[in-house]
Amino acid sequence: MLLLSLRINVELFLSPITSQVQTAQQTPKHYGITSPISLAQPKEADLVLTQKLIETLRPFGVFEEELELQRRILVLGKLNTLVQVWIREVSEAKNIPSSVIDNVGGKIFTFGSYRLGVHTKGADIDALCVAPRHVERSDFFSSFYEKLKEQEEVKDLRAVEEAFVPVIKLSFDGIEIDILFARLALQTIPENLDLRDDGLLKNLDIRCIRSLNGCRVTDEILHLVPNIENFRLTLRAIKLWAKRHNIYSNILGFLGGVSWAMLVARTCQLYPNAVASTLVHKFFLVFSKWEWPNPVLLKQPEDCNLNLPVWDPRVTPSDRYHLMPIITPAYPQQNSTYNVSASTRAIMVEEFKRGLAITDEILLNKAEWSKLFEAPNFFQKYKHYIVLLASAQTEKQHLEWVGLVESKIRILVGNLEKNEFITLAHVNPQSFPGPKEEIDKEEFSTIWVIGVVFKKMEGPENLNVDLTFDIQSFTDTVYRQAITSKMFEADMKITAMHVKRKQLQQLLPKVAIQRSKRKASVHLKKVRIVRYKLAIASYKFAILSFLAIASLNLAILTFFLRIACSEGRIAKFKLAIARKKSQNCKFITRNSDFETCNCEFISCNSDFHFFSQLRVLKSKLRVIKSELKVIKSELRDMNLQLLEKKNLNCKMKKSQLPCFIFYLLVEMGFPIFDSNCPTQYLKPPLRVCYIDISSSVL
């Protein structure tokens, strides 16, 4: 059956974990370009952790149900039948002999996440239409396009013929599908065709070779891993982790699906007998310590003598500047991460290190798998952001315009990296609907947010950072590309502006900033708690002073004063630290023209010493706390002696404290709060405050 021939081996991991492990097997085949690091078999604890990993992944929708999988297979079967009927019609129109038409064939192949067996719920399918030599690419974008348009199940049909890899996009019975086209130098297309055969590349144009590359790379990856099931589960976990941490986007300079698959495949080669829980940990271990730009290779490159360009820094000078090369295993070998920049590599390496620290805790049973997939708050991570806004009048124009702008954002990131005052530029792969300039006017807009880190400068003078040229060159590139491709319309706009962290809520939708507000409110509560503690320290100072004066014991009074002063200083330092953390960097934007993107940034130099000031405050706080421990221990001994001699009873009802004690506290620099309203300071002349005093104070 044709339907069965299209079935892709996609495992849903619904069976017990023991079915995923090949126990006590010696790997008969050598995988990769080096020997394995470890051939150790999984332990019982590894199997338990793997089962916990599966249970953690389920709520994120990374596993597709069997019913949905069957629906995808049915759709691909219909599409494959449609391709064969179309090729027969084209063959008849071109007067191909009937003997050839009967066996002309034609086939739909899949690649990407679906072919690898790691697609998620609702994910699209990457497909390749393979046709014999007499079917032209023009036929694919004309007659086949029209045939698709006639199908009732097909929606949102659009052709992108001028793309780097030409494609037809459509929704077939609710499933998004991208179809590429490859015309082989064969008279007929057999059912058992193996696209890994390098001989198929002979006499093909470059566009067909690019289209075939996706299927060839995917098939090679599956043939180069020792255990496909362990590879798939590990890849599901790593892809989810990368998406949750905003580092999953090839077009924006991070890694795409194929690149993540090759990194996981290399980890599987180094630990061929390990299960998924171990492989996830080893993944972070290997690539947090990888010495980039050494390339990641799944097998030794092969030369098929077809004179096709391959990645080779010894021959091609431009290949020497690739920062994070991950080389595809199929000929012609290419670097799948040529978009990676210095900033994106630094961000990913830092995330690898964080992932290693978390998985270390998980293996020691100090943390759960859910901690690994906790999404960090991008909008609280940086103090300064650049917001890009792309807008158009119609939905169709907006779709094309957004695609072009997004493909060029990495150019802006590169421009920012070249600025001598910028350390890092981190673009969030997730885009958001932008605000409308006019409520009554129909407009479609999308915004991207780029976090920016500026270098710490020395000296008291102010720093002027001019990003006009960096932003203007980016916008010029986008407009020039739009005009060249004849897609530019007068209503298509792109603007850029600098905003501070607290200003993002004015531009982003509430869903995006909800977590930011929640964190901010928690932080304000912490500041308020510290202020209450400071008030309590002031009250304790007054209470202890009153009791010491009442006992007329100078030694006790001295210790009371030392304790109260130390606790007051601790509370004051805690309040200073909390307030310092809640401050935003004083970053002033002036001459910001929304249309021309002329931006001049001015920064107070003191803000560059923000963290150093915090370190000083915290170090002083530690010293005071250590002193307080010594004072309290000395006082405890003296207090016990005093209580034994005088049998002091401090149980008192509400007592009015003398005003001179409050004046004394104010003179010593302690803020005194009203007991009825602890957030309000009392200033002389003081009104009477009543405090409950009990022996528990001592």
Side-chain angles (χ1 to χ4, degrees):
M1 289 290 292
L2 177 61
L3 187 59
L4 295 176
S5 67
L6 285 168
R7 181 172 185 124
I8 307 301
N9 186 18
V10 180
E11 299 296 334
L12 298 180
F13 305 102
L14 297 175
S15 58
I17 188 61
T18 52
S19 66
Q20 300 180 12
V21 184
Q22 305 294 331
T23 57
Q25 289 184 353
Q26 187 69 25
T27 306
K29 182 179 178 181
H30 178 69
Y31 295 93
I33 62 175
T34 62
S35 300
I37 294 177
S38 173
L39 293 173
Q41 297 293 330
K43 300 178 182 178
E44 185 65 29
D46 300 328
L47 303 181
V48 173
L49 282 174
T50 303
Q51 185 63 48
K52 289 182 178 179
L53 175 61
I54 294 175
E55 297 304 321
T56 304
L57 292 175
R58 289 192 191 281
F60 292 99
V62 298
F63 300 115
E64 192 174 46
E65 296 179 357
E66 182 67 28
L67 186 62
E68 183 66 22
L69 178 61
Q70 294 296 334
R71 181 164 163 263
R72 288 177 181 269
I73 295 173
L74 182 62
V75 167
L76 287 173
K78 292 180 180 179
L79 189 60
N80 190 77
T81 302
L82 195 66
V83 165
Q84 292 182 339
V85 171
W86 166 67
I87 290 177
R88 287 181 63 89
E89 292 176 355
V90 172
S91 302
E92 291 173 356
K94 295 186 177 183
N95 298 321
I96 302 297
S98 57
S99 59
V100 177
I101 293 176
D102 293 338
N103 300 308
V104 70
K107 192 173 181 181
I108 286 288
F109 292 86
T110 59
F111 61 98
S113 62
Y114 183 80
R115 177 68 183 95
L116 289 173
V118 295
H119 61 285
T120 59
K121 292 181 180 178
D124 62 353
I125 299 177
D126 296 314
L128 171 69
C129 173
V130 177
R133 61 192 178 194
H134 59 270
V135 179
E136 304 287 343
R137 183 174 297 273
S138 58
D139 298 325
F140 178 74
F141 283 99
S142 56
S143 58
F144 185 65
Y145 181 86
E146 293 298 325
K147 196 170 191 64
L148 288 171
K149 190 183 294 186
E150 297 172 358
Q151 309 302 311
E152 294 181 358
E153 303 95 334
V154 174
K155 308 291 182 184
D156 301 328
L157 181 65
R158 56 192 184 279
V160 190
E161 191 171 358
E162 300 302 323
F164 184 73
V165 181
V167 60
I168 290 179
K169 296 176 176 287
L170 69 148
S171 174
F172 199 110
D173 197 18
I175 298 176
E176 297 289 333
I177 303 177
D178 295 344
I179 308 177
L180 309 182
F181 176 80
R183 167 177 170 257
L184 301 184
L186 301 175
Q187 190 176 28
T188 60
I189 304 299
E191 278 293 324
N192 60 349
L193 179 67
D194 185 4
L195 296 181
R196 295 172 60 222
D197 183 5
D198 295 331
L200 296 176
L201 302 180
K202 293 181 180 179
N203 303 320
L204 296 188
D205 63 58
I206 190 63
R207 290 177 297 179
C208 289
I209 293 175
R210 290 174 188 155
S211 299
L212 286 169
N213 194 49
C215 289
R216 288 168 52 82
V217 169
T218 304
D219 290 347
E220 281 289 351
I221 291 174
L222 292 175
H223 280 81
L224 291 172
V225 294
N227 187 307
I228 293 179
E229 293 180 357
N230 291 335
F231 162 75
R232 284 173 173 164
L233 181 54
T234 306
L235 181 55
R236 287 181 189 274
I238 295 301
K239 288 181 67 174
L240 175 62
W241 167 82
K243 291 176 180 178
R244 299 281 291 174
H245 286 74
N246 297 315
I247 54 174
Y248 189 101
S249 176
N250 179 59
I251 197 171
L252 293 177
F254 296 103
L255 303 189
V258 173
S259 299
W260 289 115
M262 287 190 284
L263 291 186
V264 172
R266 184 65 184 128
T267 307
C268 293
Q269 291 178 343
L270 296 174
Y271 301 90
N273 297 324
V275 291
S277 60
T278 304
L279 290 172
V280 170
H281 175 255
K282 298 302 183 182
F283 172 88
F284 293 117
L285 175 64
V286 170
F287 295 108
S288 64
K289 301 181 182 300
W290 194 273
E291 295 181 357
W292 305 104
N294 289 332
V296 176
L297 296 166
L298 296 183
K299 71 174 189 178
Q300 289 292 351
E302 300 174 354
D303 188 4
C304 298
N305 297 320
L306 297 178
N307 295 323
L308 295 175
V310 297
W311 185 86
D312 190 346
R314 299 169 300 178
V315 177
T316 309
S318 61
D319 292 345
R320 301 168 192 169
Y321 299 99
H322 292 174
L323 301 178
M324 202 174 181
I326 302 174
I327 310 306
T328 56
Y331 180 85
Q333 297 83 10
Q334 301 294 325
N335 177 22
S336 65
T337 58
Y338 61 89
N339 284 342
V340 171
S341 65
S343 288
T344 53
R345 185 180 71 174
I347 293 165
M348 286 187 285
V349 171
E350 186 63 28
E351 291 294 343
F352 289 152
K353 293 178 180 178
R354 289 198 189 110
L356 177 61
I358 294 174
T359 51
D360 282 338
E361 294 179 2
I362 293 172
L363 294 185
L364 295 174
N365 292 321
K366 294 182 178 179
E368 300 295 332
W369 283 109
S370 57
K371 184 176 180 180
L372 182 64
F373 305 112
E374 290 179 357
N377 194 334
F378 178 82
F379 305 110
Q380 287 291 319
K381 189 174 184 179
Y382 304 104
K383 296 179 185 177
H384 314 291
Y385 296 87
I386 292 177
V387 176
L388 294 179
L389 188 146
S391 59
Q393 288 292 348
T394 66
E395 187 175 2
K396 182 179 179 181
Q397 292 177 359
H398 174 253
L399 186 64
E400 296 177 348
W401 184 234
V402 165
L404 176 61
V405 173
E406 187 176 35
S407 67
K408 302 299 179 183
I409 289 179
R410 58 188 175 87
I411 296 177
L412 175 58
V413 173
N415 293 343
L416 295 174
E417 289 176 349
K418 295 174 184 176
N419 192 298
E420 59 178 331
F421 299 109
I422 294 179
T423 303
L424 183 139
H426 182 185
V427 57
N428 187 350
Q430 185 179 3
S431 59
F432 302 94
K436 289 186 177 181
E437 295 183 6
E438 300 179 15
I439 299 177
D440 298 334
K441 186 177 180 181
E442 185 178 9
E443 187 179 53
F444 300 88
S445 61
T446 300
I447 60 176
W448 296 266
V449 184
I450 303 174
V452 181
V453 177
F454 291 89
K455 289 184 179 179
K456 295 182 179 180
M457 306 300 295
E458 297 180 357
E461 67 277 358
N462 291 336
L463 174 66
N464 296 331
V465 181
D466 185 6
L467 301 181
T468 304
F469 176 78
D470 301 328
I471 296 176
Q472 193 66 50
S473 61
F474 160 71
T475 56
D476 290 345
T477 301
V478 174
Y479 284 125
R480 186 165 52 249
Q481 179 67 32
I483 295 172
T484 303
S485 59
K486 298 180 180 179
M487 64 169 285
F488 180 74
E489 299 291 341
D491 295 324
M492 292 180 174
K493 298 178 182 178
I494 178 172
T495 54
M497 57 182 151
H498 162 263
V499 297
K500 291 182 284 189
R501 180 165 47 198
K502 62 183 179 181
Q503 296 171 327
L504 285 174
Q505 60 183 346
Q506 302 173 8
L507 300 171
L508 297 175
K510 293 182 179 180
V511 176
I513 63 173
Q514 185 175 5
R515 187 176 177 186
S516 303
K517 284 187 174 181
R518 184 163 59 249
K519 282 197 170 185
S521 62
V522 170
H523 186 71
L524 290 175
K525 288 180 180 178
K526 290 182 178 179
V527 175
R528 195 174 298 116
I529 290 172
V530 173
R531 294 188 65 186
Y532 276 108
K533 287 183 177 180
L534 185 57
I536 292 171
S538 301
Y539 285 135
K540 181 182 277 191
F541 178 88
I543 294 168
L544 295 177
S545 301
F546 177 73
L547 293 175
I549 292 172
S551 66
L552 299 177
N553 189 311
L554 185 60
I556 295 293
L557 175 61
T558 303
F559 276 108
F560 282 166
L561 290 176
R562 290 172 64 188
I563 288 177
C565 288
S566 297
E567 291 186 343
R569 290 168 66 194
I570 288 174
K572 287 172 69 176
F573 275 115
K574 284 184 176 179
L575 182 60
I577 291 171
R579 283 176 173 169
K580 195 69 180 174
K581 285 182 177 179
S582 64
Q583 289 176 356
N584 285 320
C585 184
K586 296 176 183 177
F587 209 100
I588 304 167
T589 306
R590 69 182 186 185
N591 299 334
S592 180
D593 191 334
F594 200 74
E595 292 293 330
T596 60
C597 309
N598 295 323
C599 301
E600 182 178 2
F601 300 150
I602 301 175
S603 172
C604 296
N605 185 67
S606 61
D607 291 322
F608 290 109
H609 301 284
F610 170 77
F611 292 103
S612 62
Q613 292 175 7
L614 279 183
R615 284 194 292 269
V616 172
L617 287 174
K618 289 182 178 180
S619 63
K620 289 182 179 180
L621 183 60
R622 286 193 295 270
V623 173
I624 295 172
K625 283 185 176 180
S626 62
E627 292 176 356
L628 182 60
K629 288 182 181 178
V630 176
I631 294 172
K632 283 188 174 181
S633 63
E634 294 176 2
L635 178 61
R636 192 178 302 111
D637 298 335
M638 183 172 290
N639 190 36
L640 289 174
Q641 296 174 9
L642 179 65
L643 290 175
E644 289 174 359
K645 290 180 180 180
K646 294 188 177 183
N647 193 20
L648 180 62
N649 185 4
C650 297
K651 294 182 179 180
M652 302 173 63
K653 295 183 179 180
K654 289 186 177 180
S655 302
Q656 184 175 354
L657 294 179
C659 282
F660 77 88
I661 293 179
F662 286 95
Y663 277 104
L664 175 63
L665 298 179
V666 173
E667 290 297 326
M668 294 179 66
F670 286 93
I672 308 300
F673 296 88
D674 188 344
S675 60
N676 297 319
C677 185
T679 58
Q680 299 295 324
Y681 285 102
L682 289 176
K683 299 180 181 179
L686 301 174
R687 62 180 188 268
V688 177
C689 294
Y690 293 93
I691 306 173
D692 288 332
I693 303 175
S694 65
S695 58
S696 60
V697 175
L698 294 176

